[in-house]
Amino acid sequence: MTDGTPLPNRSSRIAGFHKKSPRERLDLVASFADLAPDVVERLSDFGNLPPDLGDRLIENVVSTMNIPIGVATNMKVDGEDVLVPMATEESSVVAAVCNAARQNYDTGFATSVSGNLMIAQVQAVGISDPHAARIRILERRSEIQAICDGCDPVLVRLGGGFRDLEVRVLDTLGGPMVVTHLIVDTRDAMGANAVNTMAETIAPHVARWSGGRVYLRILSNLADRRLARAHAVWRTAEIGGPEVRDGILSAYHFAEADPYRAATHNKGIMNGISAVVLATGNDTRAIEAGAHAYAARSGRYTSLTRYETTAEGDLSASIELPLAVGLVGGATKLHPTAQACLKILGVPTAERLARIIAAVGLAQNFSALKALATTGIQKGHMALHAQNIAMMAGAVGDEIETVARTLVERGTVRVDVAEKVLQDLRKS
Ligand code: MEV
């Protein structure tokens, strides 16, 4: 039964959807989902991303998802002060970096990288003599180099290009597989496009040399030849004494030993890392896949950071993980906000960006472990969380702060309580 108003169109088969403008698509979606006019108006505001550009970055665009960018202060990386833009929806993440960096501002973070090398994989199957095929491919090194470098003369002009060749014979469920790794210096690019093109171009040759059939030709996100590292010392006297230091060390020992804890420990690290990766228009999923695969490289998933005690009894912390980030290509180059964030960071190379990101990951982890080993995470979290809850309860303007403060004072940060506090506030 209906009241006579036409029912919204509920078919997901929308002919020519991809050819329409973002606004036309949004209207169709609004009709499908019965969105209120004020919701549609809000969605149609693309914020700081020009709609034409948004429409070209991905498919079937209707709107944007605005995530706040906070700037982490106090960071000193390799002796240089940096302000770090971080895009995240999670409260306490930016504050955690600021706090960690404040506590070691004098010495800051020392960083390094292993290089800008990306790996592309070419999978060949159905080979009767896989070990000999491996040798046949390795014999073609200079030919492979010429073909790969021929794919991207600009990269070669910039000092990048093919660097090395690796061929592995894998024992798989489907029989032996010959996997060729092209190792390519991608300079200031993340490098996915460059190495994927090389892998696709080399593939028919690999099929011929191996006598097999080639299927996959794609980069590996386990970019273990593109590692970024950071190291920092927090003086025991500055962080609350030996008990705090030992609590942090014990938290690290826990993560090192237990994958259940390591997953959460590393998630905290990625809170910081992914926020900078996103703010700079880089690929958060690539970085996360690489980080977690690297954390499991020994066959047992473990912590991405390490904590030790210096000879002086201070806390020595370090991090190492793959960080395939770029300054050129894709959203990094096109998104005006990503460009502005890169300008704030003042990074001249992708290498420098990776080094800062590694330092942010370490700072984030230090703060999380310190909070967890002392007061617990909720105390710091609750002040901002309470504001979110106040807004969810309908508080606006000055009400947000008042309701949030009352929730924290009462020690009950819940929407139902916030609604009651708001009601009382409006009555008074
Ligand atoms: C929350 O987003 C991150 C933490 O859980 C990290 C950690 O436990 O180390 C606090």
Side-chain angles (χ1 to χ4, degrees):
M1 292 287 282
T2 71
D3 61 2
T5 26
L7 283 172
N9 171 10
R10 297 288 301 172
S11 171
S12 66
R13 302 271 300 149
I14 309 176
F17 190 70
H18 66 288
K19 292 193 197 130
K20 300 196 181 297
S21 71
R23 182 61 209 222
E24 287 166 338
R25 287 186 208 118
L26 180 57
D27 288 339
L28 287 164
V29 172
S31 142
F32 180 97
D34 201 15
L35 300 180
D38 62 319
V39 174
V40 176
E41 275 329 296
R42 210 168 317 121
L43 285 174
S44 71
D45 178 356
F46 271 53
N48 54 13
L49 180 65
D52 280 359
L53 175 58
D55 198 24
R56 271 197 293 271
L57 283 178
I58 65 162
E59 307 76 36
N60 291 359
V61 169
V62 298
S63 184
T64 56
M65 176 74 193
N66 294 303
I67 299 287
I69 294 175
V71 171
T73 53
N74 306 327
M75 288 290 292
K76 188 189 280 189
V77 180
D78 301 313
E80 209 179 292
D81 282 41
V82 273
L83 289 178
V84 185
M86 302 176 68
T88 179
E89 87 302 340
E90 185 172 334
S91 56
S92 306
V93 167
V94 178
V97 174
C98 299
N99 286 338
R102 183 177 39 75
Q103 292 168 72
N104 76 350
Y105 177 74
D106 290 349
T107 45
F109 297 81
T111 69
S112 61
V113 291
S114 66
N116 290 318
L117 300 178
M118 291 299 283
I119 300 168
Q121 299 190 291
V122 180
Q123 172 208 24
V125 300
I127 300 163
S128 49
D129 57 347
H131 291 281
R134 171 176 173 271
I135 304 292
R136 289 197 294 276
I137 298 168
L138 284 171
E139 281 167 2
R140 308 289 178 139
R141 191 183 195 283
S142 45
E143 203 174 324
I144 291 172
Q145 168 150 20
I147 294 168
C148 288
D149 284 346
C151 290
D152 202 333
V154 177
L155 180 62
V156 175
R157 229 187 4 260
L158 292 169
F162 177 93
R163 287 291 180 275
D164 208 354
L165 179 68
E166 231 173 37
V167 188
R168 299 153 64 221
V169 179
L170 298 186
D171 195 15
T172 78
L173 292 175
M177 218 173 255
V178 176
V179 178
T180 302
H181 283 187
L182 307 172
I183 294 154
V184 182
D185 185 337
T186 60
R187 309 306 289 175
D188 284 329
M190 185 272 187
N193 278 330
V195 301
N196 290 343
T197 304
M198 291 178 190
E200 290 192 2
T201 310
I202 212 72
H205 303 281
V206 169
R208 213 175 54 251
W209 298 325
S210 66
R213 170 165 186 180
V214 164
Y215 281 115
L216 272 60
R217 300 138 292 161
I218 186 79
L219 91 171
S220 170
N221 286 122
L222 178 50
D224 61 0
R225 292 177 177 242
R226 205 170 185 175
L227 300 174
R229 310 179 181 109
H231 166 243
V233 172
W234 277 275
R235 274 197 279 276
T236 299
E238 300 256 328
I239 62 172
E243 219 172 295
V244 174
R245 177 201 61 200
D246 293 347
I248 295 173
L249 281 167
S250 179
Y252 158 61
H253 297 155
F254 184 9
E256 201 282 327
D258 177 21
Y260 284 94
R261 173 56 205 154
T264 322
H265 177 100
N266 290 343
K267 188 272 183 185
I269 294 171
M270 300 315 287
N271 276 345
I273 288 184
S274 294
V276 189
V277 171
L278 183 60
T280 56
N282 275 287
D283 183 341
T284 50
R285 288 83 55 215
I287 297 302
E288 280 162 15
H292 295 294
Y294 193 68
R297 69 193 179 284
S298 69
R300 182 169 64 84
Y301 185 83
T302 187
S303 167
L304 284 166
T305 51
R306 287 172 193 273
Y307 288 82
E308 299 155 295
T309 312
T310 65
E312 295 75 30
D314 294 321
L315 190 66
S316 174
S318 52
I319 186 169
E320 180 181 70
L321 79 165
L323 272 177
V325 289
L327 300 184
V328 296
T332 310
K333 195 75 186 166
L334 296 173
H335 199 304
T337 310
Q339 280 290 300
C341 288
L342 287 169
K343 175 103 173 86
I344 295 169
L345 281 160
V347 283
T349 59
E351 208 179 284
R352 172 77 181 156
L353 176 60
R355 292 158 75 130
I356 293 173
I357 294 174
V360 168
L362 187 58
Q364 186 71 47
N365 185 234
F366 166 83
S367 270
L369 298 193
K370 185 178 171 200
L372 288 166
T374 55
T375 48
I377 211 77
Q378 289 305 82
K379 190 165 173 270
H381 214 67
M382 276 307 158
L384 268 176
H385 181 59
Q387 293 191 11
N388 294 347
I389 295 291
M391 285 190 277
M392 279 164 68
V396 289
D398 292 346
E399 289 171 347
I400 299 169
E401 191 59 47
T402 314
V403 172
R405 205 173 333 105
T406 312
L407 294 180
V408 173
E409 276 162 16
R410 291 191 189 170
T412 329
V413 184
R414 284 201 331 247
V415 178
D416 58 328
V417 180
E419 281 166 354
K420 179 80 181 54
V421 172
L422 184 62
Q423 247 176 29
D424 294 347
L425 180 72
R426 285 182 178 168
K427 269 192 228 141
S428 66

